[in-house]
Amino acid sequence: MSTVLIPDPGAPAAIEPALVQAPATSVVSGRGSLLWLRIGLLLAACGAVVLVGTTGDPTLRYGLIIGVTLAIAVLGSNAVTGALDEISLSQGAFMACGAYLCVIGLERGWDFWQALVVSVLVTALLGAIVAIPTARLEGIFTALVTFALAFAVPDLIIQFRDQTGGQAGLPVPFGLTLVGQPVGGSDPAWLFVIVVVFALAAVASLLMLHGRIGRVLVTIGEGGPASECFGVRSRVWEVAVWTWAAALAAVAGVFFGATIGYLTPEVFPVMLSIMVLVGTVVGGARSALGALIGGILIGTVPPELQSVIPAEATGILFGAILLLALLAGRGGVNSFIERTIVYVWSMVRRGRREAS
Amino acid sequence: MDLLETALLLGVVSGLLYALSGAGLVLIYRTSGFISFAQGDIAAVGLFTAYFAHQAGAPYVVTFLVTIVTCAITALAVGGLIVMPIGRQGALSGGLATIGVGILIQGVENATVGNSPRPFPAVTNGVAFKLDAVQIQSAHVVQILTTVAVFVVMGIAFRKLTAGVALRALNEDAETAELLGVPGRRLRLLSWLLSGILAALAGLFIVPLYTLTPTSVNAILLFGFCAVVVGGFDSVLGALLGGLIIGVSANLVSAFLTPNLVTTVLYLTLLTVLLFRPHGLLGRAPMRRV
């Protein structure tokens, strides 16, 4: 299944192995020689999203805004699953944290960007504190613990009702601006801002993954205890990855809250964290383009479906999508895209080589 | 100290319920290496089927049997057709597959029967006896007896029956066990079947208390997870002990602090136990090869 688009080098009319070796390895490992292709594809996709969003109808634009916002959270989840091979079910919890902290800051009269920075830093700090014990766990236990956190946060929001408004909720103030652009709603400028933030985070993720940081992380994720034997301080690196994931979730949470306009515990249910995980698995855990695809999938499909089936039943589609993605192997949609590109490229190269 | 007595008693009763929910999870974990997030949803399938049978006039015994049989078949189907094939890719994929199946089943239930709460018949009604100022329901007594019986049977089965020993061998070292002739696939299917029955039993005691919705059994599952983690995955007695600890502390927090903090306390308990005694109170520490 994993080499379906790359023919067997032993066959007579085969592609020369050397032609496909580096790109093929890069497709499978998620790192390596395809970095610039990945950055290029990512930026092209971001451009396409902005184009479709600005020229399309407002409902689609709103869906894309939510989608790219969730893609930022998926990017964080990708770091945990792709690099450390763990499951994080707490992205929704950190999104809630970021969103509520930001609005509480706004109520004190701060500017939007001040509230954004402070809420991200505080959430990252909380994420680091939570990550110190969480990183000592492995496998299904991290899934359990993060799942428990996702359950606990809506109740905590209700508990601290003096600050958070509890069940009644907290409205997001009007008239916010960021670098002169209006914040919130379904403004094309707001979509542009979110896409730019996503693109920056995504390119940063790609550069980190393909460089030395990525090499260390993959050693930890795939090698486990062996990495300690090679002198890698895995605890520190693991906490760093979880903190990065929490910070991205906080950014996503702030944008999510600002777009929806009103925060209640129901905005951040356990299902949100599960959706982010579906985005990670479907898109491809080591892929930034996959994060964009996964995020847009979970952001745009539920509203579109609501005319056909009741909102609660979108689980049917997402459950099915998750299962199909798992059956197809761990690379996700991005893997198919990259394999096709590498295959076509290798055919072209072979054609040119035979012609010369 | 009526509040304390009530909280303690409710804690013991609910704790045993959590232990029962956790028992099915332990089975699947021990044979497949991941936790099934779909336990609650499998139970819900059986419970809804039984609910409609009951509405059509079936007596409780039939309702009970319908639940058990439907859950067993559903669990077998889910395990054999979906989770086990995906689980071959690794434990993480298996866990993710159970999440997928869970939300799929919930979606189907929401689309077909809807999520308004429905009353579900209890085993018996009425009060068994009073202890000081606290009433003990007959249903609770049945539940306690059933839970203890299930755990005793499981404990004996894992030690004495060939299938039980084979399941433990499969958990220790799947490759070696299969080389020695242990039928891995069949045993894993058996563990799914048994976990379906256990899920049904847990559900039958949970939903009369909390009404039947697509997520009513799921919500309890978190407590079941915590119970088996605290007690130790390797130990059947540990799951009982863990359940009691979780049940009593959850009820004490709910009674003396606030119900909103129960999930937080649960999270902190889970985290603490996994940090300082990851194999649980009564489990054995696993050795890992690098």
Side-chain angles (χ1 to χ4, degrees):
Chain A
M1 187 71 205
S2 61
T3 52
V4 98
L5 284 174
I6 300 176
D8 173 17
I15 301 169
E16 231 175 86
L19 257 187
V20 289
Q21 199 164 20
T25 318
S26 188
V27 168
V28 170
S29 73
R31 308 177 58 240
S33 53
L34 290 181
L35 173 63
W36 297 109
L37 173 72
R38 287 175 176 137
I39 292 181
L41 279 177
L42 174 79
L43 294 176
C46 290
V49 168
V50 171
L51 199 64
V52 170
T54 353
T55 54
D57 65 59
T59 332
L60 179 64
R61 193 181 316 141
Y62 187 77
L64 284 175
I65 289 174
I66 297 280
V68 181
T69 305
L70 289 173
I72 299 175
V74 173
L75 208 56
S77 170
N78 275 10
V80 172
T81 306
L84 299 180
D85 208 22
E86 310 276 3
I87 295 180
S88 170
L89 282 167
S90 56
Q91 287 298 80
F94 291 118
M95 281 174 72
C97 192
Y100 272 95
L101 284 173
C102 181
V103 174
I104 290 170
L106 288 172
E107 285 186 335
R108 283 165 206 224
W110 296 351
D111 285 340
F112 183 69
W113 69 268
Q114 286 173 321
L116 173 66
V117 167
V118 170
S119 66
V120 170
L121 285 175
V122 173
T123 309
L125 182 65
L126 289 172
I129 295 172
V130 162
I132 292 171
T134 312
R136 292 179 58 179
L137 307 170
E138 53 171 33
I140 208 70
F141 295 116
T142 39
L144 257 185
V145 160
T146 51
F147 188 60
L149 183 61
F151 252 104
V153 163
D155 284 342
L156 276 176
I157 294 173
I158 298 174
Q159 177 62 16
F160 292 110
R161 58 177 69 85
D162 297 332
Q163 287 83 25
T164 64
Q167 283 280 24
L170 207 60
V172 179
F174 285 134
L176 304 168
T177 58
L178 182 68
V179 298
Q181 304 298 331
V183 162
S186 57
D187 224 284
W190 181 224
L191 174 66
F192 184 73
V193 167
I194 298 181
V195 172
V196 165
V197 172
F198 171 77
L200 288 170
V203 171
S205 297
L206 281 175
L207 289 174
M208 284 193 287
L209 183 66
H210 286 73
R212 177 181 166 255
I213 294 178
R215 186 173 357 116
V216 173
L217 291 177
V218 165
T219 311
I220 296 171
E222 294 181 5
S227 59
E228 293 267 342
C229 303
F230 284 94
V232 170
R233 297 173 62 179
S234 29
R235 289 289 164 262
V236 175
W237 285 101
E238 286 177 36
V239 171
V241 171
W242 284 94
T243 310
W244 168 249
L248 284 176
V251 173
V254 167
F255 290 166
F256 198 61
T259 309
I260 292 180
Y262 201 90
L263 301 182
T264 66
E266 281 78 39
V267 172
F268 303 100
V270 178
M271 198 57 173
L272 181 63
S273 297
I274 296 179
M275 288 287 103
V276 169
L277 185 67
V278 173
T280 298
V281 175
V282 170
R286 285 188 185 165
S287 159
L289 178 63
L292 186 63
I293 294 172
I296 290 180
L297 178 78
I298 62 182
T300 52
V301 171
E304 301 297 319
L305 277 185
Q306 263 168 44
S307 46
V308 183
I309 52 177
E312 304 88 14
T314 49
I316 302 178
L317 184 69
F318 285 106
I321 288 176
L322 181 58
L323 290 172
L324 287 171
L326 285 168
L327 276 170
R330 299 281 290 275
V333 172
N334 177 67
S335 183
F336 281 121
I337 297 175
E338 288 183 358
R339 281 179 213 283
T340 318
I341 293 177
V342 168
Y343 184 65
V344 167
W345 170 86
S346 63
M347 289 275 109
V348 166
R349 282 275 304 265
R350 183 184 134 206
R352 269 199 229 135
R353 197 170 279 212
E354 285 179 357
S356 66
Chain B
M1 287 295 291
D2 279 349
L3 191 60
L4 180 64
E5 273 179 5
T6 323
L8 282 174
L9 192 69
L10 272 180
V12 168
V13 169
S14 49
L16 288 175
L17 199 56
Y18 302 151
L20 190 61
S21 330
L25 296 172
V26 172
L27 258 184
I28 296 182
Y29 179 75
R30 288 175 76 166
T31 49
S32 308
F34 51 83
I35 302 221
S36 166
F37 286 82
Q39 263 312 68
D41 302 295
I42 291 172
V45 171
L47 289 164
F48 270 109
T49 319
Y51 173 79
F52 289 117
H54 183 77
Q55 291 295 91
Y60 185 79
V61 179
V62 175
T63 314
F64 182 87
L65 287 171
V66 167
T67 314
I68 305 265
V69 171
T70 318
C71 285
I73 296 174
T74 313
L76 208 55
V78 162
L81 296 174
I82 304 176
V83 180
M84 272 168 59
I86 296 178
R88 271 184 236 130
Q89 293 175 21
L92 221 59
S93 300
L96 284 169
T98 60
I99 295 177
V101 169
I103 57 182
L104 183 68
I105 294 179
Q106 271 179 49
V108 169
E109 284 166 355
N110 278 317
T112 50
V113 298
N115 60 2
S116 48
R118 293 154 208 261
F120 196 89
V123 173
T124 58
N125 294 309
V127 182
F129 54 93
K130 293 178 84 158
L131 197 71
D132 287 342
V134 186
Q135 290 185 331
I136 302 184
Q137 312 265 1
S138 323
H140 289 160
V141 175
V142 175
Q143 177 200 311
I144 293 175
L145 291 174
T146 317
T147 310
V148 172
V150 163
F151 276 94
V152 166
V153 167
M154 270 178 72
I156 297 176
F158 271 122
R159 252 163 243 297
K160 303 285 192 209
L161 288 185
T162 318
V165 177
L167 273 171
R168 279 165 60 204
L170 203 62
N171 172 55
E172 268 308 315
D173 189 338
E175 239 181 279
T176 311
E178 292 191 348
L179 284 172
L180 286 171
V182 168
R185 183 181 152 77
R186 239 178 287 166
L187 279 178
R188 289 194 185 97
L189 283 173
L190 177 68
S191 71
W192 275 95
L193 181 83
L194 291 174
S195 75
I197 296 175
L198 287 169
L201 275 176
L204 281 166
F205 290 121
I206 292 171
V207 289
L209 296 174
Y210 295 97
T211 71
L212 177 62
T213 70
T215 52
S216 44
V217 186
N218 248 342
I220 302 300
L221 222 55
L222 183 64
F223 291 82
F225 288 150
C226 296
V228 296
V229 168
V230 167
F233 278 90
D234 288 337
S235 166
V236 157
L237 194 63
L240 262 178
L241 184 65
L244 286 172
I245 293 175
I246 295 287
V248 169
S249 34
N251 272 283
L252 285 176
V253 167
S254 182
F256 289 104
L257 290 175
T258 155
N260 289 323
L261 282 179
V262 171
T263 39
T264 311
V265 168
L266 216 60
Y267 170 70
L268 292 171
T269 313
L270 200 58
L271 207 57
T272 316
V273 171
L274 282 172
L275 277 180
F276 296 109
R277 221 182 140 80
H279 35 281
L281 291 173
L282 296 183
R284 285 170 309 140
M287 287 199 303
R288 267 185 330 177
R289 285 217 174 86
V290 170

